[in-house]
């Protein structure tokens, strides 16, 4: 009994020492540890029965929702959020459809992360800074910004994976639940066509947030479909690569997967409309990503896209006159794509 207080003290000292050691790590060091922990958890999960997995998962949700005393912002720790969403994406990859029912336990937190609430990432993408200015950013602040955007990126990945693995058919109650979930998630994902990280943060996310199973080979150009290729051919390669970071292209990918999962115009119409409206956000980023999303949707739906075409024409008419070469090129490329699809010239409708 006399040894118990000493043992407890030693345990507390060890925990404090471990916390201090972690506190000395830069973001890349934390990322290495996080990746190893997620890999170990992945191996463990595959050996658990549902009766053992569920309480562990709920405990992780509780942990993720807990604020951090040192970095809490509205009760949410960017580091915890990023780590938890890494776990969520891993589970979706491993468990596939089995993971879908567990979404209800994290839905509120997930939507807050998509919106950037409490992560310090809200707002439009900052203008490009000089390299010296970016390098001068304080380490801890930059680390928190990276973690915040990593959490949002993984939250978008989770939307993509949810749409990829949820059942395509089911009882009316399940279909209604999917529709309601779509209605809640759509505006949050579309908002990320306009919002994005700074260039220095985006550079780090490109390596730490990459997912070869979800990202198309060819990077941002491929992610924007035929419109992306046309933007590059028009001489807008630099603007496209500068504007369309991994967060934005992941959002486009998630939107297209949502369209695939929806499988009908009940989903396609509001999704299409939301992307078109994003082109009027003012930024080159939003215009290019939204044009890419429409281009990918047309490529997916083929002849079924023609029922959506009349709504798109006024927006495309505005974008072909954009001052940014990449936007104009992407819009012209989309016109060529839609003319090939419809079998007629669209010039007369664009001038109307």
């Amino acid at each position: 009994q006399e040894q118990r207080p000493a043992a407890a003290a030693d345990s507390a000292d060890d925990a404090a020492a471990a916390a201090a050691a972690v506190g000395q790590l830069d973001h890349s060091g934390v990322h290495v540890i996080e990746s190893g922990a997620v890999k170990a958890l992945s191996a463990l999960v595959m050996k658990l029965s549902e009766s053992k997995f569920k309480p562990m998962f709920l405990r992780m949700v509780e942990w993720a929702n807990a604020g951090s005393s040192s970095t809490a912002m509205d009760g949410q720790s960017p580091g915890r959020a990023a780590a938890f969403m890494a776990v969520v994406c891993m589970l979706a990859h491993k468990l596939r459809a089995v993971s879908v029912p567990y979404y209800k336990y994290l839905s509120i937190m997930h939507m807050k992360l998509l919106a950037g609430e409490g992560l310090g990432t809200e707002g439009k993408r900052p203008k490009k800074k000089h390299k010296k200015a970016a390098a001068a950013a304080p380490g801890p602040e930059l680390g928190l910004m990276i973690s915040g955007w990593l959490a949002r990126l993984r939250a978008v990945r989770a939307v993509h994976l949810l749409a990829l693995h949820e059942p395509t058919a089911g009882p009316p109650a399940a279909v209604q639940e999917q529709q309601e979930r779509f209605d809640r998630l759509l505006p949050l994902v579309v908002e990320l066509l306009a919002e994005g990280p700074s260039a220095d943060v985006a550079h780090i996310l490109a390596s730490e947030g990459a997912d070869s199973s979800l990202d198309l080979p060819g990077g941002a150009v491929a992610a924007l479909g035929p419109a992306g290729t046309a933007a590059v051919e028009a001489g807008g390669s630099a603007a496209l690569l500068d504007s369309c970071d991994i967060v934005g292209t992941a959002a486009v990918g998630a939107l297209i997967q949502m369209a695939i999962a929806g499988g009908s115009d009940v989903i396609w119409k509001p999704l299409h409309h939301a992307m078109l409206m994003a082109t009027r956000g003012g930024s080159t980023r939003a215009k290019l990503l939204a044009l890419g999303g429409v281009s990918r949707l047309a490529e997916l739906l083929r002849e079924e896209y023609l029922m959506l075409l009349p709504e798109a024409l006024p927006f495309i008419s505005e974008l072909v006159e954009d001052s940014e070469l990449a936007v104009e090129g992407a819009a012209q490329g989309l016109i060529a794509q839609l003319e090939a699809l419809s079998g007629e010239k669209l010039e007369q409708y664009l001038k109307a």
Side-chain angles (χ1 to χ4, degrees):
Q1 291 179 346
E2 292 177 357
Q3 293 178 347
R4 287 181 182 175
D10 289 342
S11 178
D13 290 342
D14 290 344
V22 172
Q24 297 300 315
L25 293 173
D26 60 13
H27 181 79
S28 60
V30 173
H31 177 67
V32 170
I33 295 174
E34 176 195 279
S35 299
V38 172
K39 185 177 181 179
L41 183 62
S42 173
L44 173 62
V45 163
M46 300 308 292
K47 298 179 181 180
L48 296 179
S49 63
E50 184 175 5
S51 63
K52 292 183 178 180
F53 169 74
K54 184 175 181 179
M56 183 185 75
F57 179 78
L58 295 179
R59 180 66 185 90
M60 288 191 291
V61 173
E62 181 183 347
W63 172 82
N65 275 310
S68 169
S69 59
S70 59
T71 60
M73 291 179 288
D74 295 339
Q76 181 63 63
S77 163
R80 288 193 183 204
F84 178 67
M85 291 314 301
V87 171
V88 170
C89 291
M90 175 275 289
L91 292 174
H93 277 302
K94 289 289 185 179
L95 303 180
R96 298 178 178 269
V98 175
S99 69
V100 173
Y102 288 92
Y103 178 76
K104 61 185 178 184
Y105 299 113
L106 59 103
S107 60
I108 295 176
M109 177 178 61
H110 180 230
M111 288 188 291
K112 288 182 177 180
L113 293 179
L114 279 173
E117 290 185 23
L119 296 176
T121 62
E122 300 95 326
K124 304 299 181 186
R125 188 181 198 223
K127 293 182 179 179
K128 187 176 181 181
K129 298 179 180 180
H130 295 294
K131 292 183 179 179
K132 290 184 178 179
E141 292 183 11
L142 181 60
L144 287 175
M145 187 65 71
I146 294 169
S147 294
W149 274 111
L150 196 54
R152 293 186 79 177
L153 171 59
R154 288 169 176 169
V156 176
R157 302 284 199 201
V159 174
H160 191 144
L161 290 164
L162 179 65
L164 180 63
H165 297 308
E166 66 181 354
T168 55
V175 173
Q176 180 64 27
E177 181 182 347
Q178 290 178 7
Q179 178 66 50
E180 292 174 354
R181 183 164 59 230
F182 169 83
D183 293 339
R184 293 192 299 268
L185 293 177
L186 176 61
L188 297 174
V189 177
V190 169
E191 185 61 28
L192 286 170
L193 301 181
E195 291 186 24
S198 59
D200 49 336
V201 173
H203 177 73
I204 295 172
L205 294 182
S207 59
E208 294 190 5
D211 188 328
S212 59
S213 67
L214 300 181
D215 297 326
L216 293 178
V221 178
L224 271 58
T229 302
V232 171
E233 292 175 349
S237 177
L240 186 147
L241 295 177
D242 179 58
S243 301
C244 302
D245 53 70
I246 192 170
V247 177
T249 57
V252 172
L255 290 167
I256 297 305
Q257 190 60 50
M258 291 166 76
I260 294 172
S264 75
D265 61 353
V266 174
I267 297 297
W268 300 335
K269 286 182 177 179
L271 189 149
H272 182 247
H273 176 75
M275 290 194 294
L276 290 174
M277 291 301 296
T279 65
R280 292 179 173 169
S283 70
T284 297
R285 170 196 172 86
K287 293 173 183 177
L288 284 173
L289 289 170
L291 276 168
V294 173
S295 180
R296 292 269 306 275
L297 184 64
E299 190 175 40
L300 169 70
L301 300 183
R302 301 296 300 168
E303 288 76 12
E304 291 183 285
Y305 178 81
L306 296 179
M307 66 179 174
L308 304 175
L309 177 58
E311 183 187 21
L313 294 176
F315 293 87
I316 299 173
S317 180
E318 296 172 6
L319 294 167
V320 292
E321 299 179 357
D322 197 89
S323 59
E324 175 57 59
L325 189 62
V327 174
E328 179 188 356
Q332 292 287 3
L334 179 57
I335 291 173
Q337 178 187 358
L338 297 179
E339 287 181 339
L341 188 61
S342 64
E344 64 175 313
K345 292 291 184 180
L346 299 179
E347 184 178 1
Q348 58 178 323
Y349 304 111
L350 296 172
K351 290 181 178 180

